[in-house]
Amino acid sequence: EGKQARATVWNNPSDDILGVVARSKRMAGTWEKLLRGEVYQYHAKLIMKDAFTGGAFVWHQDYGYWYNYGCIFPNMGTTWIAIDRADKNNGCLKIIPGSHKIGRIDHIRVGKQVGADIARVEEISKVCPVIQPELDPGDAMFFHCNILHRSDQNNSADRRWGYLCCYNRADNSPYKGDSPHPAYSKLDQLPNSSIRDCDITKVAATRDYYKPSKNYAFYQVPAKIN
């Protein structure tokens, strides 16, 4: 829609605070309860909508992409954590509760993005009203991979960054050898106290950045996360 959001994506948990959060019982343990089985980190990402310049994301389901990466079942989900306050002024998420019960919707090209068929989304929103939760820093949302969601531009003076951890059930490892995200490997969970005990000044020694194809032009991968 004429502006740009940036994203940094990596696969395996890093050895800094971002990785500690992803491996915590509060995160991974919750997903094991929600998905009813062992989980591992499918990938993590930082979505960056800077003041006045942050672009919109079209309506989509995460499984609209992950299905094509070789994950047979939608036994997957995302935790969206607000780093900055996320509100209606700076482009917080819009969500259609209950839309995960519809199943996977075909995704098509929408500008430089790939998103759900908007005609179908409009019909779904008539029976499953859209909500727009506003989050304070540290608030988190857990949502199923088939939940329809989008976000608007950031036209405000306030930055809106979010940290997303995506999980896959262990028995749903992608069958495609060229999948951009990893096959199952055991996730060693940490006690929640590890988050408070972590040295938050430490920057990951290595981070296995996912460099997206030209089909995902809205991704920009910086050399490191400050």
Side-chain angles (χ1 to χ4, degrees):
E1 298 176 6
K3 295 187 178 181
Q4 188 174 54
R6 296 179 296 136
T8 297
V9 186
W10 60 96
N11 285 328
N12 297 297
S14 52
D15 60 353
D16 58 2
I17 183 62
L18 297 176
V20 170
V21 169
R23 293 168 58 196
S24 69
K25 293 283 186 181
R26 192 82 176 262
M27 293 274 283
T30 298
W31 274 112
E32 288 191 336
K33 293 176 183 177
L34 292 171
L35 295 176
R36 300 179 181 179
E38 181 188 357
V39 300
Y40 72 99
Q41 179 175 299
Y42 187 54
H43 63 277
K45 50 198 167 193
L46 187 67
I47 302 292
M48 297 164 276
K49 286 192 178 187
D50 294 324
F52 300 117
T53 62
F57 288 91
V58 298
W59 284 109
H60 65 280
Q61 300 167 310
D62 292 338
Y63 193 55
Y65 313 127
W66 300 346
Y67 169 85
N68 292 316
Y69 295 164
C71 296
I72 295 176
F73 293 100
N75 293 326
M76 312 173 80
T78 296
T79 303
W80 201 105
I81 303 174
I83 295 176
D84 308 304
R85 175 165 171 78
D87 55 36
K88 295 174 182 177
N89 293 322
N90 65 6
C92 67
L93 286 188
K94 293 180 177 178
I95 295 174
I96 302 183
S99 55
H100 65 293
K101 297 178 181 179
I102 296 166
R104 183 179 64 87
I105 298 170
D106 288 339
H107 282 48
I108 58 177
R109 195 76 175 173
V110 182
K112 290 186 177 181
Q113 299 181 39
V114 175
D117 180 352
I118 192 62
R120 185 170 291 269
V121 172
E122 289 174 354
E123 293 303 315
I124 292 168
S125 65
K126 294 176 183 178
V127 293
C128 300
V130 176
I131 64 170
Q132 196 167 3
E134 297 184 306
L135 305 181
D136 288 321
D139 286 348
M141 292 187 292
F142 290 69
F143 56 88
H144 188 269
C145 65
N146 271 335
I147 281 284
L148 280 162
H149 58 289
R150 68 155 288 152
S151 60
D152 294 333
Q153 294 177 339
N154 180 5
N155 294 312
S156 78
D158 299 318
R159 188 185 77 168
R160 197 227 74 178
W161 285 21
Y163 173 43
L164 288 69
C165 293
C166 307
Y167 296 88
N168 188 14
R169 212 167 75 176
D171 58 3
N172 195 39
S173 187
Y175 69 86
K176 290 186 176 182
D178 60 349
S179 174
H181 301 306
Y184 164 75
S185 62
K186 184 172 179 56
L187 182 70
D188 294 323
Q189 294 186 28
L190 299 172
N192 295 326
S193 59
S194 297
I195 297 174
R196 279 196 294 266
D197 296 339
C198 181
D199 178 5
I200 62 171
T201 65
K202 179 180 179 181
V203 177
T206 60
R207 203 186 304 274
D208 55 335
Y209 288 122
Y210 159 53
K211 296 189 181 299
S213 71
K214 63 182 180 180
N215 291 329
Y216 296 91
F218 54 89
Y219 282 148
Q220 289 189 341
V221 184
K224 69 175 186 177
I225 300 172
N226 295 321

